Amino acid sequence: MVFGLVSGPDAGWWSVRAAGAIALGVVILAGFAVLEGRLRNPLLPPRLLGYRNLTTAVLAVFVFAGTLAGEYFLFTTYLQNVLGYSPLKAGLAFLPLTLISMAGAGPLATTSVAKLGYGATMAVALLLCGIGIGLLVPGMSVGGSYPALLPGIAVWGIGGGIAFTVCFSAAGHGIAVEEQGVANAVASTSQQVGSAVGLAAIVAVANSGLDLGAGGVPTPDSVVDGLRVGGLVSAVTAVVISVVVALLLRDRPSAAATQAAPEASGAGVPAVAGDEDVRAYS
């Protein structure tokens, strides 16, 4: 599925490489679901999908990874195709974002979970990602400069660092110790698919209105316009999902429910892990 999704913008969505790979992935996934429901010791116990914390964290990881991959593409395209940066210089331009993200992924993420809980922390982190990406949009212009992007980079970096750490930690929150690996594997799979979906979607949005100039090369103005539209789509998506996460994620189930089996609604999730999960992951 990932191969098909990343091949779509280049090979065409109805090509064998893209549509064929996606269709094959869907068939394999359906077969996997049927098989797991029949095995005595399945690799992915279906009941785990009844944990609201896990399913909400998987959704958050999916969207976060999608906006991250899409915005990386937009940011790199702007630096190299509009500002004329070399590949090396464009890579170095990511250093501030990386360093700020490291700060968010460390003690800041741990402290936020301890004070706010998983739901509020993840919601705030995704909201900051959306705001940061949104701040990059006005900073992108023909003949613009890198310093104009720094406010957006700062906010985006903090939110991204917190989100990456807390999303994966929340996926295992309330899951029995022997199933922690499965829960995080589900989140990791969501990250990979989300990155492919987000990248494919943002590329399609950014390229949808390109005006070709002399020699069939897109004009700088149309490139910037496409990058701005793609950035707005990423920003709005992150903000919307931040609200969804805030409404859905349970932080601390009651002590009486710690031994209860998970229900479809996510109630009764055993409270096994706490903010120590965040410290361990970061």
Side-chain angles (χ1 to χ4, degrees):
M1 288 183 68
V2 172
F3 177 75
L5 289 168
V6 297
S7 299
D10 177 51
W13 289 107
W14 295 108
S15 66
V16 175
R17 197 172 99 190
I22 293 174
L24 180 60
V26 170
V27 171
I28 294 174
L29 184 61
F32 176 77
V34 171
L35 186 63
E36 294 299 281
R38 296 180 177 180
L39 293 177
R40 178 176 296 180
N41 296 304
L43 179 65
L44 173 58
R47 61 181 176 75
L48 281 184
L49 299 179
Y51 286 83
R52 183 181 294 179
N53 279 11
L54 176 58
T55 54
T56 305
V58 165
L59 173 64
V61 170
F62 181 90
V63 174
F64 170 66
T67 57
L68 187 69
E71 196 58 31
Y72 274 8
F73 166 78
L74 299 181
F75 190 44
T76 304
T77 300
Y78 177 70
L79 292 175
Q80 293 191 238
N81 293 20
V82 179
L83 298 187
Y85 281 25
S86 67
L88 177 60
K89 188 175 180 180
L92 293 175
F94 273 85
L95 281 178
L97 176 63
T98 303
L99 295 175
I100 295 171
S101 296
M102 289 169 61
L108 188 56
T110 305
T111 302
S112 298
V113 170
K115 292 184 177 181
L116 303 176
Y118 281 105
T121 300
M122 286 174 62
V124 170
L126 291 171
L127 180 62
L128 288 175
C129 287
I131 293 174
I133 293 172
L135 289 174
L136 288 175
V137 172
M140 293 181 178
S141 62
V142 178
S145 64
Y146 182 75
L149 304 173
L150 291 177
I153 288 174
V155 178
W156 181 28
I158 293 174
I162 297 175
F164 192 88
T165 300
V166 177
C167 281
F168 283 93
S169 178
H173 179 58
I175 305 293
V177 174
E178 63 271 17
E179 294 178 331
Q180 288 286 322
V182 178
N184 278 279
V186 173
S188 295
T189 302
S190 179
Q191 176 193 2
Q192 298 300 323
V193 178
S195 295
V197 172
L199 180 59
I202 296 303
V203 168
V205 170
N207 291 340
S208 61
L210 290 179
D211 295 326
L212 300 182
V217 178
T219 63
D221 287 331
S222 67
V223 171
V224 170
D225 289 342
L227 297 179
R228 285 176 171 175
V229 174
L232 286 175
V233 171
S234 294
V236 171
T237 302
V239 170
V240 170
I241 295 302
S242 72
V243 176
V244 174
V245 168
L247 294 175
L248 292 181
L249 187 61
R250 282 183 188 275
D251 289 336
R252 302 177 181 86
S254 63
T258 55
Q259 300 302 319
E263 301 174 1
S265 63
V269 178
V272 176
D275 64 342
E276 63 272 12
D277 300 334
V278 184
R279 291 193 294 271
Y281 192 86
S282 60

